[in-house]
Every structure is written in structure tokens, then in C-alpha cells.
Amino acid sequence: MKTFSLIVCFFFGFILLSSFNFPEAAGRFQLQACRPSGTITGKTPPPGQCNQENDSDCCKTGEKYKTYTCSPDITSETRATLTINSFEKNGDGGGPSECDGHYHSDSIPIVALSTGWYKGGSRCFNNITIRYNGRSVSAMVVDECDSTMGCDEDHDYQPPCPNNIVDGSKAVWEALGISDPDDVGSLDITWSEN
Ligand SMILES: *[C@@H]1O[C@H](CO)[C@@H](O)[C@H](O)[C@H]1NC(C)=O
Ligand SMILES: *[C@@H]1O[C@H](CO)[C@@H](O)[C@H](O)[C@H]1NC(C)=O
């Protein structure tokens, strides 16, 4: 009888452990995989819309654009693509910053993060360290680069953001030793939380 109880106890113990571990393991797997959450079919912007200055990408009719609610897992060396953004009024960043509803000067190091990394605003005003080619800069998170929507007026008729973007002000690029971000376009960088 005692042996039987022991076996039953182990059995249920095992079930209990499994049920705690599996969802976490599944969640991790999902994050690493980060599959698209949907697609948007592009519409050509109305005349005069979508600022094509500095090679901004504009949506095209019939083209499919993937959307994401997730981003790759964050590590001490998270790989990302650095792009250039203006956070100023009348810049190419569209509306004011998501974190505080304000515009910001491009001469301070600030960034927008893809939706998954922006995490519903929970990284707002945190500083992240961005590394490139032996240099690093600490930059404050002030905005979201929306991976879930695009090709509409709110997004200046630009496609949804990829899921691995750090969209930095001119000051971020300058601190990394690049004075002509508009000519470079994008850079492979790594970042980490401070
Ligand atoms: C395009 O690039 C130029 C030169 O870097 C910059 O002065 C201008 O503000 C940029 N335009 C937009 C819309 O960001
Ligand atoms: C981020 O850096 C700025 C500028 O150095 C600083 O004022 C701010 O307090 C920092 N934010 C956090 C959350 O530490």
C-alpha cells in the first residue's frame, strides 16, 4: 500500500511539474521562432502622400506585407537592424512619439523599437546600449516602430516595420561614427538592456 501511494505521489508530482514547465517552454519556442501574425495588402498612397525623400519605403498596390506582434528573444547581444528616423515635427517619423505623445530632438540619442521589443510601452524611457564596430551608445526608448500595421495615413503609407528594428535618431548614428545615415540606410548592430 505504501509503495503504491509513493508511486501515485511521484506520478502526480510529475504531471504537476510538466504542466508548469510546458507552457513556459512553448512560450520560449514561440518567441525564438517569432512567426508573422498576418499580412497587409498594400494600397498605393494618395498623391502627395508617403514622403519618398531619403528612400523611404512606400506601399505598393497588391504587394503583401508581413505583420508581427513578436520580436526575436532579447540577449546580451541582440542582433538588430539600425535604421534612421526623425522624431521631430515634420520629420519622416509620422506622428509624435508613442511613449509620451511628444516630438523629440534628433540631436539626442533616442530610438523606436519594433512592436515585440517595444512590449506595449514597458520599455519606454529605459536606456538601451547599441553596439557597432567597437563603438557603443546609450539611447532612450521613446517610440514604437509598428510591426502590426502600415500602408495607411497614420504610418505615412509606409509598410509595417520588420520585427528586428532599432530605429535611431541622427545622434545615435553619429555616436556610432556615422555622419551620413541617409546614405548608409541600415546597419547590422547588437543591443542590450542597460
Ligand atoms: C532627408 O535627408 C536630409 C539629409 O540628411 C535631411 O536634412 C532631411 O531632413 C531628410 N528628410 C526627411 C523627410 O527626413
Ligand atoms: C536614460 O539616460 C538619460 C540620459 O543619460 C537619463 O536622463 C535617464 O534618467 C536614463 N533613464 C533611466 C530609466 O535610467
Side-chain angles (χ1 to χ4, degrees), residues 19 86 108 129:
S19 65
S86 172
I108 52 172
T129 300

Side-chain angles (χ1 to χ4, degrees), residues 109 123-128 138-141 194:
R123 291 206 160 80
C124 280
F125 313 118
N126 285 1
N127 294 307
I128 65 168
S138 177
M140 194 187 282
V141 177
N194 279 18

Side-chain angles (χ1 to χ4, degrees), residues 48-176:
Q49 301 288 329
C50 192
N51 194 336
Q52 269 177 305
E53 239 183 284
N54 305 331
D55 296 327
S56 275
D57 234 357
C58 297
C59 292
K60 294 187 188 80
T61 297
E63 195 128 324
K64 305 267 190 213
Y65 302 93
K66 287 188 168 67
T67 59
Y68 293 88
T69 55
C70 57
S71 290
D73 264 345
I74 292 170
T75 66
S76 57
E77 291 185 315
T78 313
R79 290 153 60 109
T81 300
L82 181 69
T83 51
I84 173 78
N85 187 43
S86 172
F87 296 82
E88 297 182 356
K89 202 163 190 222
N90 303 320
D92 61 3
S97 292
E98 204 61 38
C99 285
D100 56 6
H102 290 128
Y103 292 98
H104 296 269
S105 165
D106 291 331
S107 59
I108 52 172
I110 47 178
V111 295
L113 297 178
S114 294
T115 294
W117 287 338
Y118 180 73
K119 217 178 155 190
S122 61
R123 291 206 160 80
C124 280
F125 313 118
N126 285 1
N127 294 307
I128 65 168
T129 300
I130 300 167
R131 294 188 176 81
Y132 171 74
N133 198 22
R135 295 196 187 219
S136 74
V137 57
S138 177
M140 194 187 282
V141 177
V142 298
D143 205 355
E144 175 179 18
C145 190
D146 200 335
S147 313
T148 69
M149 289 186 282
C151 303
D152 58 14
E153 193 179 353
D154 272 357
H155 301 88
D156 199 25
Y157 295 92
Q158 291 173 18
C161 196
N163 65 7
N164 64 338
I165 295 294
V166 173
D167 202 14
S169 63
K170 200 167 170 50
V172 169
W173 285 76
E174 276 169 358
L176 297 176

